[in-house]
Amino acid sequence: MMEIQILDDFNLDRIADSGQCFRWTKDDSGGYRIIHKDKLLRIRSLENGIFALSCTEDEYLRIWHDYFDLEEDYRAVRRRVKQEEDPFLAWACERGKGIRILRQDPWETLISFIISQNRNIPAIKRSVELLCESAGQRREENGCSYFLFPGPEKILSMSDEALAACRLGYRCRYVKAAAADVAEGRLDLERLRYASEEETIEALTGVCGVGIKVASCVSLFGLHHVDAFPVDVWIRRILENEYPDGYPKEKYKPYNGIYQQYMFYGYREKYGRK
DNA sequence: TTCCAGGTGGACA
DNA sequence: TGTCCACATGGA
């Protein structure tokens, strides 16, 4: 166990509820259990921006500091939005204050967002967890077991029945297609970290079952291209209702993805799920 | 029970 | 190029 103080925006509940991560589980203490690559972290908010983490300082510095994107100044990103110029976005920033764009594993993000299409968030979490339990490596920690996210070869080796049992529905063949493209080298996710947005979207939409929306989510949440701007049903509503004359994307470069996340969270909080 | 969900591929005009 | 529809499942 260690404690750290985080002075910038950082709200666990809001990140967990922001629709970018599907393997955060709330525990009895009000904290979260997070699985990222081959690590499990328990994290809990104390007071005055202090957080308790179940890892060593070394692991925190090597893994979690980066995962939580703690080098980025999210307050400064929020402050670029002026209430008088864009009252809706200013409202959304305030509402979603504390959200950060996690630096998640691109492969896991790709499969998770393929699974996400045309489903609500609880159903996505359920399928992702079933997939991990079915095909992921089992780990033990303090008598508590958890499963890693399965790699492309492992998913490729799963039977159709086993995949279907993860309740993927018609997305089974998309998940297999993505696994094949990565395993056989047609899609190099690591290379895309440094690719242009145009090239990234083109490469990702080359996978059967990946359209512009899923590709944008992978770009934003898996490759950390923070200007990527996924448009789902919620963002479409926002653009129609709040920006009938057009959304000023140019103005908000290079942080469109972060603002998109504030808007998604705020609108969904206000008009969606109870 | 009904509607809808962090959509996409494919058919058709 | 644009529009329409099926798709599989479960949460609310």
Side-chain angles (χ1 to χ4, degrees), chain A residues 40 66 82 134 137 194 200 257:
Chain A
L40 179 146
D66 179 67
K82 303 290 175 230
S134 168
Q137 204 179 22
Y194 312 103
T200 300

Side-chain angles (χ1 to χ4, degrees), chain A residues 258-270:
Chain A
I258 297 177
Y259 297 125
Q260 180 273 163
Q261 216 34 22
Y262 291 138
M263 293 193 289
F264 173 82
Y265 178 89
Y267 229 59
R268 203 167 145 264
E269 268 280 304
K270 188 171 179 188

